[in-house]
Amino acid sequence: MEKTLILIKPDAVSKGHCGETIRRFEAAGFKIRGCKMARLSEELLREHYAHLLELPFFPEIESFMQSTPVIALALEGENAIVRIREMVGPTDSTKAPEGTIRGDLGENVMKNIVHASDSTEAATIELKRFFNSDQLFDY
Ligand code: UDP
Ligand code: MG
């Protein structure tokens, strides 16, 4: 069993796609172990998207990610990290296949509905970034 971090991004929050996004993860058998809504600070975003800091359009990504609060989820399941990345689809929503979350609900390369951890190392770090241990639940 693996846990992974999902962020339901501002495009999903503002267009009303949160429920459909969570529904798909639950239908695939993933369990919600943590859930919170939060506004992302500049400091947190610079850490979370450190690999994008040098991009000329980083400020655009930052302002998009701060345009509404986001919903953070800790999801658990077998091979959760890889399977959820497959369900989410590639970064660019316009290139994401039909049936993937980004392909069906996303708008473009930036407005792509969800963040999902891309490795076990990233998942460990990102879950700690968004959840204190008393905000994660085993049941
Ligand atoms: N992003 C963007 N343009 C790019 C690359 C990334 O707007 O050319 C945004 C997009 O919202 C993406 C996020 O920055 O989801 C993180 O980028 P990453 O390459 O890690 O893609 P992901 O892992 O989300 O597929
Ligand atoms: Mg990424």
Side-chain angles (χ1 to χ4, degrees):
M1 289 299 235
E2 276 179 352
K3 277 199 199 79
T4 189
L5 176 87
I6 300 298
L7 298 177
I8 302 182
K9 296 185 182 188
D11 55 327
V13 171
S14 58
K15 289 176 184 165
H17 292 321
C18 300
E20 172 60 13
T21 301
I22 295 172
R23 188 199 67 73
R24 290 185 185 211
F25 291 134
E26 287 191 310
F30 296 104
K31 298 288 183 218
I32 299 174
R33 301 300 186 200
C35 180
K36 64 159 77 161
M37 191 169 220
R39 282 191 188 280
L40 303 185
S41 68
E42 192 179 315
E43 189 189 0
L44 183 143
L45 276 170
R46 286 174 171 267
E47 199 179 286
H48 188 70
Y49 282 149
H51 60 297
L52 305 176
L53 275 179
E54 301 309 318
L55 294 178
F57 48 87
F58 182 77
E60 249 182 88
I61 296 174
E62 193 173 52
S63 99
F64 162 60
M65 289 299 290
Q66 292 185 313
S67 61
T68 71
V70 303
I71 293 173
L73 299 172
L75 294 183
E76 187 173 53
E78 254 177 70
N79 298 318
I81 296 160
V82 166
R83 283 174 56 217
I84 286 183
R85 288 284 297 194
E86 279 169 12
M87 285 181 70
V88 166
T91 309
D92 187 345
S93 303
T94 66
K95 302 199 173 107
E98 211 176 294
T100 64
I101 291 172
R102 285 170 169 170
D104 293 346
L105 306 173
E107 189 174 322
N108 55 38
V109 66
M110 184 174 75
K111 296 181 176 175
N112 60 9
I113 306 288
V114 282
H115 165 83
S117 306
D118 64 4
S119 66
T120 50
E121 296 74 24
T124 303
I125 293 167
E126 292 176 357
L127 285 163
K128 282 210 183 89
R129 182 172 295 142
F130 285 88
F131 293 98
N132 297 325
S133 56
D134 66 351
Q135 297 171 326
L136 293 173
F137 301 87
D138 284 319
Y139 54 87

